[in-house]
Amino acid sequence: MRVEIWSDIACPWCYVGKARFEKALRDFPHRDEVEVVHRSFELDPGRAKDDIQPVITMLTKKYGMSAAQAEAGEDNLGAQAAAEGLDYRTRGRDHGSTFDMHRLLHFAKEHDRQERLLDALYRANFAEERSVFGEDERLVELAVAAGLDADAARAVLADPEAYAAEVRADEREAAQLGANGVPFFVLDRTYGVSGAQPAEVFAQALTQAFGERAPLKIVEGGSTDGADGADACGPDGCAVPQH
């Protein structure tokens, strides 16, 4: 079974939701049969790379809330993250474009390092003091920590077209599936789970989706030589016509 997760590094609920989903997956009896694929979604598409501002300032401008309301929201998110064993800085974080991070994640996927890089980006953005926005070398350091080559990661970041099409394709697909926010989880293209749901909800979704997978339907037909059954190879060898 395949689970696709649309998310953004700037999304605190994606950070929390990933931990909750992974908790459910750890306890899922068929976890070894589940493939998890991470897909790109920008909460602020088109934002300029140098357009960086404090999170509290962004929240007050984008949602029209007061600074006190924004700070209360961050405190709540900090508590939610702590409940999942995650570190979360409620003050002093920046907000900016995540497009380059998504491009780098697609590069990491080709080298089987996507999960490690995603975790490193989340941790750096939400738990560490140094900003992840506006400085390519910061992203290169995180890529190296995830097991990627520094020069190769630097080359990706230096080329604005590298993996840009892959990011945009993920975002178009999210829109086609009806996702207008993240995190958004799609199980076998049959079930969708929106938001950072409790682990119990993810567990129920995994169980239901896995149990309802459609069995393979075999199209019966005759073999090329007119005998019953079809010519094929199996554990006992290959059927060879005797006439």
Side-chain angles (χ1 to χ4, degrees):
M1 182 171 72
R2 170 179 283 197
V3 178
E4 298 163 277
I5 308 174
W6 273 264
S7 59
D8 191 11
I9 300 91
C11 166
W13 287 118
C14 295
Y15 180 48
V16 173
K18 184 175 188 292
R20 291 175 177 173
F21 171 77
E22 288 173 348
K23 180 180 179 181
L25 186 60
R26 279 194 302 271
D27 296 333
F28 185 55
H30 305 287
R31 60 185 176 274
D32 292 338
E33 299 176 64
V34 178
E35 175 193 10
V36 178
V37 178
H38 293 282
R39 301 211 180 274
S40 299
F41 189 106
E42 294 171 276
L43 289 173
D44 208 349
R47 190 183 187 97
K49 185 173 181 176
D50 59 356
D51 185 3
I52 303 165
Q53 60 185 169
V55 166
I56 299 299
T57 301
M58 180 275 294
L59 291 172
T60 59
K61 290 183 176 180
K62 187 171 183 178
Y63 300 107
M65 60 179 64
S66 68
Q69 288 173 321
E71 289 173 354
E74 283 294 286
D75 290 340
N76 175 56
L77 280 162
Q80 297 275 355
E84 304 303 330
L86 302 171
D87 293 327
Y88 190 98
R89 294 177 67 235
T90 60
R91 301 292 186 274
R93 292 191 302 107
D94 286 340
H95 177 79
S97 171
T98 57
F99 185 58
D100 283 349
M101 299 180 209
H102 285 295
R103 295 196 300 113
L104 205 56
L105 283 165
H106 277 279
F107 163 70
K109 183 179 179 181
E110 291 186 350
H111 297 274
D112 198 28
R113 292 292 185 273
Q114 187 184 50
E115 187 86 27
R116 290 175 61 180
L117 179 58
L118 182 59
D119 285 339
L121 289 168
Y122 274 142
R123 184 171 55 252
N125 184 44
F126 291 108
E128 297 178 6
E129 186 173 350
R130 187 179 169 192
S131 177
V132 295
F133 300 103
E135 185 185 348
D136 283 356
E137 283 306 304
R138 171 65 162 146
L139 299 184
V140 171
E141 290 174 12
L142 294 170
V144 170
L148 295 164
D149 178 75
D151 289 337
R154 199 173 285 119
V156 170
L157 293 170
D159 178 4
E161 296 303 316
Y163 301 96
E166 287 83 347
V167 175
R168 298 307 184 210
D170 277 356
E171 293 175 336
R172 285 194 302 271
E173 197 163 12
Q176 291 167 0
L177 290 170
N180 52 19
V182 284
F184 188 67
F185 302 77
V186 177
L187 291 75
D188 258 359
R189 292 296 171 106
T190 303
Y191 291 95
V193 179
S194 180
Q197 300 289 343
E200 294 77 12
V201 173
F202 287 122
Q204 180 182 358
L206 285 166
T207 299
Q208 187 168 351
F210 192 87
E212 293 184 11
R213 290 177 303 159
L216 189 67
K217 292 182 174 60
I218 304 298
V219 177
E220 300 291 348
S223 69
T224 55
D225 64 352
D228 291 338
D231 298 330
C233 295
D236 298 322
C238 298
V240 179
Q242 300 301 309
H243 57 279

